[in-house]
């Protein structure tokens, strides 16, 4: 008589992280202004996420139009960005962000960025505007 198939249960390891929060459809804004002519508190980012890919459109303040595209691995984002400013100039750079869930359930991105089209680098924080 054939044996029934063995079903194995693989429980989640103790202390494993809960499922990560998707960025898809979230609107985020910087908590502080950067240097003049750059992203600032009036800039709004609309994020999208699917299958480890992330992208966003952004505008506001000195930025007429901006786009970012990259990847997500766990709570780490790695992306490139390009933007058109009100003075007609363009700029681009690279950013690595960490996704943090705030106590009130909103999302914060803690970012380290570097321009690739001009000198400069720094850190910034953007937070979800709505819940």
């Amino acid at each position: 008589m054939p044996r029934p198939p063995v079903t194995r249960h693989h429980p989640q390891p103790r202390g494993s992280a809960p499922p990560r929060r998707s960025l898809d459809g979230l609107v985020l804004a910087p908590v502080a202004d950067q240097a003049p002519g750059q992203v600032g508190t009036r800039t709004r980012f609309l994020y999208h996420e699917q299958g480890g890919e992330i992208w966003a459109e952004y505008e506001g303040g000195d930025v007429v139009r901006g786009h970012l595209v990259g990847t997500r691995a766990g709570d780490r984002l790695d992306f490139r960005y390009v933007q058109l400013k009100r003075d007609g100039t363009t700029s681009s750079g690279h950013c690595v962000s960490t996704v943090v869930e705030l106590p009130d359930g909103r999302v914060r991105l803690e970012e380290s960025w570097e321009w690739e089209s001009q000198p400069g680098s720094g850190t910034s924080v953007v937070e979800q505007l709505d819940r």
Side-chain angles (χ1 to χ4, degrees):
M1 173 180 240
R3 296 178 139 187
V6 175
T7 304
R8 299 186 192 271
H9 175 66
H10 299 285
Q12 282 285 91
R14 289 185 184 190
S16 66
R20 66 180 190 208
R21 170 100 180 267
S22 174
L23 301 178
D24 196 50
L26 299 185
V27 177
L28 292 93
V31 298
D33 285 324
Q34 298 295 316
Q38 305 303 333
V39 166
T41 56
R42 295 180 300 164
T43 309
R44 299 294 180 261
F45 294 79
L46 174 59
Y47 272 83
H48 309 279
E49 179 176 358
Q50 184 176 40
E53 300 173 357
I54 58 149
W55 65 100
E57 303 85 33
Y58 62 99
E59 63 181 36
D62 289 327
V63 178
V64 174
R65 182 179 319 276
H67 298 278
L68 65 85
V69 63
T71 58
R72 179 175 183 174
D75 287 330
R76 183 178 186 273
L77 308 180
D78 189 328
F79 59 84
R80 295 290 194 290
Y81 55 90
V82 61
Q83 62 191 33
L84 170 64
K85 297 188 299 187
R86 294 211 180 279
D87 66 5
T89 61
T90 61
S91 50
S92 62
H94 175 240
C95 183
V96 175
S97 300
T98 301
V99 180
V100 176
E101 187 161 347
L102 297 170
D104 64 6
R106 293 180 305 125
V107 168
R108 168 188 286 163
L109 301 181
E110 298 174 350
E111 305 179 318
S112 295
W113 51 267
E114 182 174 19
W115 291 110
E116 294 178 330
S117 61
Q118 62 194 30
S121 63
T123 61
S124 57
V125 174
V126 296
E127 290 184 354
Q128 182 181 350
L129 291 180
D130 52 2
R131 285 188 347 128

